[in-house]
Amino acid sequence: MVKALGWDYAESFLVQVSRALCEALDGQPVYRVTTTTFVFLHDGSAAERQEHIANVRQQFVQSLEIHGIPHQLDIAIGVLPAVDEIAGSDVVRALLTVIDVSREEGVCPRQFESVHAENQRNAFWLLSALPMAFTAADELSLHYQPKVRLRDGSCVGVEALIRWQHPVLGHISPAVFIALAEKTAQIRQITAWVVRHAVAQAAQWHARGLEVPIAINTSARDFESDELLRLLASQLKQHAVPPGLIEIEFTESAMASNPEVVRQRVQAIRELGVQVAIDDFGSGFSNLSYLKSIPADIMKIDRSFIRSLAEDEADQVIVPSIIHLAHQLGFSVVAEGVESERTARILHHLGCDFAQGYAIARPMPAEELEEWLGMVQ
């Protein structure tokens, strides 16, 4: 809204929202605690609270009109009871947490629970510990999952996957710390760490005659600036790595905020000689209009379509359509999450080019990957 209509309009919009909230709450004061988050205090009965919440929800069923432009609001409501376990300094953080939970779970309103406070503390602790992991010698590492050609089973590359072994907590799942980091600027630090170590590993293998292309996952936040492009260019030059040995994977969500700028940045990466892949295709709201303009080489079908391909009739319709569409647009196709030989055979029959998943090999450290390559090649 700010980009399209300016700050003055955005402020008018937020003033109108606050007025609508006050009306729904019978004139009670409303406090704005972040750009789009409002809070009100309630000390009445539970029935009165439920009535106020119902009024708020009803208030925003219809579009809100500002300067003749209608806006349909998607609201989330969190309820924070007065509990002793939440310190005064943590109240706002707890409020924001329960609102996020309401939005993520689609439950409106969502009552704050003690587990939310615990999750909040754990998240804060992990994000605080992550910067130290970047400088530690033995906390972060890369594992590599092979990608094979379905026609003959030959390995055509690997995907670099970050792992975190904390000295106290032990293994921390990437699904946990990556998801947390993506809400902050730390996701860029993770990407930068992976780029540096993956390019260095590609250089080591190249020097020994092992030509193993390495795919690197990126986040939508990595395309908010030219930092990733500059880092890739400098690392390729520093390590004298042929750019064809590096592949950048990005999801369609990166295109959502500013498609043209992201397209230009992806194209600039491709002009370095680096391969580009659309990752997790189909996992979100796939915008087909992006496909005709994305300067990519590879499309990776999300594992949610592959996992039950052998049994699910819907997947048996969708997957061949995606493969055909990708080939018509000039993309090579990789199936992710291949967990059985039967699935691999079906994909080969459907014309899929490449596959990766547990049926082929699990992610493994560089030394184990070298042994695996020696056995399959």
Side-chain angles (χ1 to χ4, degrees):
M1 180 186 294
V2 173
K3 290 181 180 178
L5 301 171
W7 275 109
D8 289 342
Y9 184 91
E11 282 297 323
S12 297
F13 169 79
L14 292 170
V15 168
Q16 187 73 7
V17 169
S18 67
R19 288 174 179 167
L21 278 171
C22 288
E23 181 180 338
L25 297 169
D26 299 325
Q28 286 194 48
V30 173
Y31 306 91
R32 182 174 156 197
V33 295
T34 72
T35 304
T36 58
T37 302
F38 295 85
V39 170
F40 74 94
L41 304 178
H42 179 79
D43 57 3
S45 67
E48 290 173 331
R49 184 179 70 235
Q50 290 174 358
E51 181 181 354
H52 279 144
I53 290 173
N55 290 341
V56 170
R57 296 183 65 178
Q58 183 62 36
Q59 184 76 19
F60 295 105
V61 168
Q62 302 297 325
S63 298
L64 194 66
E65 189 171 296
I66 295 92
H67 300 326
I69 302 176
H71 296 270
Q72 187 65 55
L73 273 65
D74 181 17
I75 66 170
I77 300 176
V79 178
L80 179 67
V83 291
D84 295 335
E85 62 196 70
I86 303 175
S89 58
D90 291 331
V91 168
V92 172
R93 188 184 301 138
L95 280 167
L96 298 179
T97 295
V98 73
I99 290 171
D100 284 343
V101 171
S102 170
R103 182 172 290 107
E104 291 169 2
E105 294 182 353
V107 177
C108 184
R110 185 64 165 92
Q111 184 89 6
F112 186 87
E113 300 173 3
S114 58
V115 68
H116 296 153
E118 183 180 349
N119 291 341
Q120 183 185 75
R121 287 190 292 270
N122 291 340
F124 179 78
W125 191 93
L126 285 177
L127 290 174
S128 299
L130 195 52
M132 292 181 283
F134 291 130
T135 57
D138 56 357
E139 289 195 36
L140 299 179
S141 64
L142 289 180
H143 284 200
Y144 301 90
Q145 185 170 37
K147 177 173 61 180
V148 301
R149 183 182 289 109
L150 283 168
R151 185 178 69 247
D152 57 15
S154 61
C155 181
V156 295
V158 296
E159 180 178 353
L161 299 166
I162 192 169
R163 297 291 184 261
W164 185 5
Q165 186 70 23
H166 191 270
V168 175
L169 298 179
H171 174 72
I172 301 175
S173 170
V176 173
F177 72 85
I178 293 292
L180 289 173
E182 283 185 330
K183 297 180 181 180
T184 74
Q186 285 191 335
I187 191 64
R188 294 183 184 176
Q189 293 176 276
I190 290 177
T191 300
W193 189 95
V194 173
V195 167
R196 292 190 182 96
H197 288 76
V199 173
Q201 183 62 67
Q204 290 181 30
W205 283 336
H206 177 64
R208 292 163 46 200
L210 280 174
E211 304 297 305
V212 184
I214 300 178
I216 299 169
N217 290 292
T218 60
S219 164
R221 283 180 172 262
D222 293 311
F223 293 90
E224 293 174 353
S225 72
D226 290 325
E227 184 179 339
L228 175 61
L229 173 65
R230 292 193 297 268
L231 178 62
L232 271 172
S234 66
Q235 290 297 301
L236 290 170
K237 182 178 180 180
Q238 176 183 333
H239 294 282
V241 172
L245 292 179
I246 298 298
E247 178 184 306
I248 290 296
E249 297 184 0
F250 76 103
T251 61
E252 298 161 278
S253 62
M255 304 286 291
S257 59
N258 200 331
E260 181 54 28
V261 170
V262 173
R263 190 196 68 78
Q264 292 174 3
R265 287 181 173 140
V266 172
Q267 179 61 33
I269 289 173
R270 200 165 178 239
E271 288 172 358
L272 292 174
V274 172
Q275 293 261 298
V276 173
I278 304 168
D279 196 17
D280 298 335
F281 181 79
S283 61
F285 296 99
S286 303
N287 191 331
L288 296 180
S289 66
Y290 292 158
L291 285 181
K292 62 183 180 182
S293 60
I294 294 178
D297 306 282
I298 301 162
M299 179 188 290
K300 302 188 73 174
I301 304 175
D302 186 69
R303 67 186 67 245
S304 61
F305 297 105
I306 305 300
R307 190 180 300 114
S308 302
L309 178 61
E311 300 84 23
D312 192 289
E313 292 182 2
D315 289 338
Q316 291 166 8
V317 173
I318 293 171
V319 171
S321 300
I322 294 176
I323 294 171
H324 177 73
L325 173 65
H327 283 162
Q328 290 296 106
L329 291 171
F331 300 122
S332 297
V333 183
V334 180
E336 298 182 286
V338 178
E339 297 182 356
S340 72
E341 290 293 335
R342 185 184 177 195
T343 301
R345 288 195 300 270
I346 293 172
L347 287 164
H348 180 217
H349 176 73
L350 294 176
C352 185
D353 304 296
F354 310 106
Q356 66 182 83
Y358 285 179
I360 297 158
R362 292 173 177 267
M364 61 192 90
E367 298 79 10
E368 291 182 23
L369 178 72
E370 293 172 19
E371 294 178 9
W372 183 88
L373 288 171
M375 291 187 292
V376 300
Q377 293 181 348

